[in-house]
């Protein structure tokens, strides 16, 4: 049976928030004993063309991966890619979720990204039943969904578009018609606008930033089911599951709010995690959630434990405001991260920890190694308990990452720079390349793609320069070519595309 996903391709991408490393890290912080990332079993429900699973299978050859989807065309595309890459630890198959039985087996990590809110009620029931029935005792399930109250505005726009397209059935015509209608909404009068029309216009601008195929499947799909967080958790609990965490730890952080506001949330929620999260959704008008679930019989603490940080790895994409931060002195140094994250501290241990992680990015450093390095930098023995607290604080603030399993990338290009085989293969197929951190970058230029293809570890910089020189017009001088090559190699390293 042909589906709309056969008719209009939904562009598959890797999602770092679904990676078993992310799930294992959060499970570890909340007291669980998750399966080792490099020897685990992963199932993705609604895997599309396998773009999320293929990089996982490639970088974790001793783990096993399975994914299924109702649409045949994307599954065929994923199988072809897996075959070309020689992946023997990945199984992709076409199936109706309602026909999946217990013989599928047990998995340490179950992923359902972009499924729950776009299927009918009976499929949601089966999805949650599968998340429980196929989950190992210490397993983690990831389920993403559209959340209320934030999706009320988007649902209103969806209703408008569905009315506008009530007599349009051709997929391309529906996409074109929806985009034309959204342009009309943006062109409305600016004077004397109500607060509602302002919200609508802001939401429409966000829809224009998305791929048209996403608009077709997400906002124009047959099913559209946003849900309040507490109702989602109630659904999970009916199937023997409980709330563990959000896939983005920063999304659970309350310290950004004033002390009075935190006190009110605690009062209204009665100290209950689920209720507190619901009040946070009200405050933020959240429209999308990525929730981790585990079996209901497990004891889940109220917060992450600093003690559990001591078995993890840390990394930081932040930068220092100072070009050369003084980690030993009493002067406060400021560090800035992504999405407005920032920290100003005079604590020598905190300054040395983040300074070293910045220097090593995108590599992840094990806690014990970082502890020793901080001692060297400060000239005194570092306190492990203090370092664990510092790293958890940085993690909460979005200034640092924590990892159960380090990504296999390196921070320096080396004498014979080497890009991951998967990235080199992807650069030959198109523009989107997956990093060792399970994120993506766009390789749009011929020279960029050629450079990636050449980085198989057999060439030094002189050989790379000789290969690239004929492609550059006007031809740069040797010194200019060397400088540009080093610049690009370092950029690839920071993206997480280079390996040892």
């Amino acid at each position: 049976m042909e589906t709309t996903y056969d008719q209009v391709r939904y562009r598959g991408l890797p999602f770092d928030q679904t990676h078993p490393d992310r799930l294992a890290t959060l499970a570890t912080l909340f007291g669980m004993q998750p399966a080792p990332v490099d020897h685990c079993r992963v199932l993705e429900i609604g895997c599309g063309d396998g773009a999320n699973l293929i990089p996982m299978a490639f970088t974790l050859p001793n783990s096993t991966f399975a994914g299924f989807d109702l649409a045949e065309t994307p599954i065929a595309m994923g199988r072809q890619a897996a075959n070309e890459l020689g992946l023997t630890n990945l199984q992709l198959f076409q199936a109706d979720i309602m026909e999946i039985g217990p013989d599928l087996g047990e998995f340490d990590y179950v992923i359902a990204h972009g499924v729950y809110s776009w299927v009918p009620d009976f499929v949601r029931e089966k999805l949650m039943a599968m998340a429980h029935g196929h989950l190992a005792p210490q397993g983690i399930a990831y389920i993403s969904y559209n959340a209320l109250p934030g999706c009320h505005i988007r649902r209103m726009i969806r209703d408008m578009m569905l009315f506008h397209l009530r007599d349009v059935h051709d997929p391309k015509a529906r996409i074109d018609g929806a985009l034309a209608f959204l342009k009309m909404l943006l062109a409305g009068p600016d004077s004397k606008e109500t607060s509602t029309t302002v919200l609508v216009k802001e939401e429409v601008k966000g829809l224009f930033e998305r791929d048209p195929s996403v608009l077709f499947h997400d906002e124009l799909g047959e099913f559209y089911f946003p849900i309040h967080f507490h109702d989602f958790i109630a659904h999970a609990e009916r199937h023997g599951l409980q709330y563990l965490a959000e896939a983005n730890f920063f999304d659970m952080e309350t310290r950004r709010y004033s002390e009075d506001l935190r006190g009110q949330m605690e009062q209204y929620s009665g100290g209950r995690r689920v209720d507190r999260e619901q009040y946070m959704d009200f405050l933020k008008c959240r429209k999308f959630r990525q929730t981790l679930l585990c079996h209901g019989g497990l004891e889940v603490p109220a917060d992450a434990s600093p003690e559990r940080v001591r078995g993890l790895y840390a990394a930081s994409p932040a930068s220092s405001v100072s070009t050369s931060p003084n980690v030993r002195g009493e002067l406060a140094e400021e560090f800035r991260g992504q999405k407005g994250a920032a920290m100003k501290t005079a604590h020598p241990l905190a300054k040395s920890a983040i300074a070293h992680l910045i220097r090593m990015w995108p590599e992840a450093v094990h806690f014990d190694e970082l502890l020793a390095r901080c001692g060297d930098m400060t000239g005194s023995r570092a306190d492990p308990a203090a370092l664990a607290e510092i790293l958890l604080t940085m993690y909460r603030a979005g200034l640092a990452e924590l990892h159960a399993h380090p990504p296999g990338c390196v921070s320096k290009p080396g004498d014979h720079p080497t890009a991951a085989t998967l990235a080199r293969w992807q650069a030959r197929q198109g523009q989107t390349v997956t990093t060792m951190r399970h994120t993506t970058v766009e390789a749009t230029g011929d020279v960029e793609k050629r450079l990636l293809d050449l980085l198989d570890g057999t060439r030094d910089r002189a050989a790379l320069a000789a290969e690239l020189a004929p492609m550059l017009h006007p031809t740069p001088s040797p010194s200019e070519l060397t400088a540009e090559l080093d610049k690009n190699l370092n950029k690839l390293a920071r993206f997480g595309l280079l390996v040892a």
Side-chain angles (χ1 to χ4, degrees):
M1 178 184 71
E2 187 180 56
T3 72
T4 56
Y5 290 89
D6 293 298
Q7 297 171 343
V8 177
R9 181 188 176 190
Y10 192 101
R11 184 189 179 199
L13 291 170
F15 299 101
D16 59 338
Q17 63 270 33
T18 70
H19 196 282
D21 168 55
R22 175 78 68 93
L23 311 188
T25 298
L26 286 157
T28 299
L29 289 172
F30 281 90
M32 292 180 63
Q33 302 292 331
V37 175
D38 54 352
H39 286 82
C40 67
R41 302 159 297 177
V42 180
L43 170 67
E44 183 168 14
I45 300 169
C47 67
D49 60 5
N52 192 36
L53 286 180
I54 287 172
M56 296 182 193
F58 188 87
T59 55
L60 299 169
N62 294 318
S63 295
T64 58
F65 300 83
F68 70 89
D69 200 282
L70 182 61
E72 294 183 10
T73 303
I75 287 293
M77 295 171 63
R79 281 178 171 172
Q80 180 180 346
N83 289 336
E84 291 183 18
L85 289 164
L87 298 177
T88 59
N89 61 336
L90 171 63
Q91 179 189 12
L92 299 175
F93 59 98
Q94 187 274 331
D96 185 333
I97 189 174
M98 301 306 297
E99 297 174 0
I100 298 291
D103 57 337
L104 183 60
E106 184 179 84
F107 296 87
D108 303 301
Y109 304 98
V110 175
I111 302 165
H113 184 59
V115 179
Y116 184 91
S117 288
W118 295 271
V119 293
D121 291 346
F122 63 90
V123 175
R124 280 194 293 278
E125 290 298 323
K126 180 61 183 285
L127 187 157
M128 200 66 83
M130 283 190 68
H132 174 267
H134 294 277
L135 197 64
Q138 288 284 323
I140 301 100
Y142 164 105
I143 302 178
S144 64
Y145 49 97
N146 278 339
L148 296 172
C151 268
H152 280 303
I153 295 293
R154 186 167 290 180
R155 184 160 58 182
M156 181 171 67
I157 296 172
R158 164 185 158 85
D159 290 342
M160 297 178 193
M161 289 191 293
L162 291 180
F163 173 81
H164 179 68
L165 301 170
R166 61 195 181 280
D167 297 322
V168 181
H169 306 290
D170 175 73
K172 185 178 184 308
R174 284 179 70 80
I175 293 173
D176 292 342
L179 292 174
F181 176 76
L182 292 176
K183 287 181 181 178
M184 185 195 77
L185 290 182
L186 282 181
D190 293 328
S191 59
K192 299 181 181 179
E193 287 184 307
T194 66
S195 58
T196 303
T197 58
V198 172
L199 288 173
V200 168
K201 285 192 175 185
E202 287 302 310
E203 193 66 42
V204 169
K205 290 176 184 177
L207 293 175
F208 270 114
E209 295 173 0
R210 304 165 72 184
D211 188 288
S213 66
V214 176
L215 176 71
F216 175 78
H217 290 294
D218 287 8
E219 273 67 47
L220 299 179
E222 182 180 1
F223 302 101
Y224 193 80
F225 181 74
I227 186 172
H228 281 107
F229 173 69
H230 69 91
D231 288 329
F232 175 83
I233 295 302
H235 186 197
E237 289 174 346
R238 292 197 297 272
H239 287 273
L241 297 165
Q242 66 172 320
Y243 179 56
L244 176 64
E246 287 303 302
N248 289 322
F249 191 78
F250 182 74
D251 288 343
M252 299 181 288
E253 181 53 44
T254 61
R255 287 167 176 80
R256 74 188 81 171
Y257 302 121
S258 69
E259 186 175 342
D260 287 345
L261 190 52
R262 292 200 305 271
Q264 282 183 294
M265 281 195 290
E266 286 304 308
Q267 177 188 346
Y268 295 156
S269 65
R272 294 178 295 272
R273 290 183 72 212
V274 170
D275 288 359
R276 184 190 308 121
E277 288 288 321
Q278 184 61 75
Y279 280 106
M280 286 178 66
D281 282 7
F282 293 155
L283 286 171
K284 295 192 287 187
C285 207
R286 198 197 305 258
K287 65 182 70 169
F288 188 71
R289 267 192 175 264
Q290 302 170 95
T291 297
L292 307 189
L293 305 169
C294 63
H295 283 293
L298 299 175
E299 184 177 345
V300 177
D303 200 359
S305 167
E307 180 64 26
R308 304 303 292 265
V309 175
R310 297 172 69 166
L312 301 175
Y313 298 77
S316 178
S319 61
S320 172
V321 174
S322 170
T323 55
S324 182
N326 184 345
V327 300
R328 292 195 181 192
E330 297 181 357
L331 182 69
E333 298 285 354
E334 186 175 356
F335 303 91
R336 295 176 183 172
Q338 301 169 343
K339 297 181 180 179
M343 176 181 75
K344 191 171 185 177
T345 179
H347 196 301
L349 183 54
K351 290 190 291 183
S352 60
I354 191 169
H356 184 62
L357 294 179
I358 290 171
R359 188 179 305 115
M360 294 301 295
W361 176 263
E363 292 186 45
V365 182
H366 191 272
F367 180 88
D368 293 338
E369 180 185 342
L370 181 61
L371 184 71
R373 183 60 182 151
C374 287
D376 294 339
M377 294 172 69
T378 60
S380 61
R381 185 180 178 188
D383 180 359
L387 179 60
E389 287 278 6
I390 289 167
L391 289 176
L392 187 57
T393 299
M394 289 166 53
Y395 186 50
R396 291 185 192 281
L399 278 169
E401 299 175 352
L402 293 176
H403 296 273
H405 181 79
C409 47
V410 296
S411 58
K412 305 297 180 186
D415 294 333
H416 289 75
T418 307
T421 304
L422 174 63
R424 292 191 291 112
W425 179 84
Q426 289 177 326
R428 293 192 293 270
Q429 311 303 313
Q431 296 182 351
T432 304
V433 176
T434 305
T435 73
M436 296 297 290
R437 303 181 60 256
H438 207 60
T439 57
T440 59
V441 296
E442 296 296 314
T444 56
D446 292 339
V447 176
E448 289 177 271
K449 297 171 73 171
R450 178 59 177 157
L451 175 58
L452 267 175
D453 193 30
L454 292 171
L455 297 179
D456 60 3
T458 65
R459 298 171 178 86
D460 59 15
R461 283 168 172 73
L464 291 169
E467 293 267 11
L468 292 173
M471 300 183 66
L472 303 175
H473 302 287
T475 304
S477 68
S479 60
E480 290 173 334
L481 181 55
T482 300
E484 189 65 21
L485 179 59
D486 282 341
K487 176 184 174 182
N488 281 281
L489 288 173
N490 287 323
K491 183 169 71 171
L492 293 177
R494 286 196 61 81
F495 283 148
L497 285 167
L498 300 189
V499 297

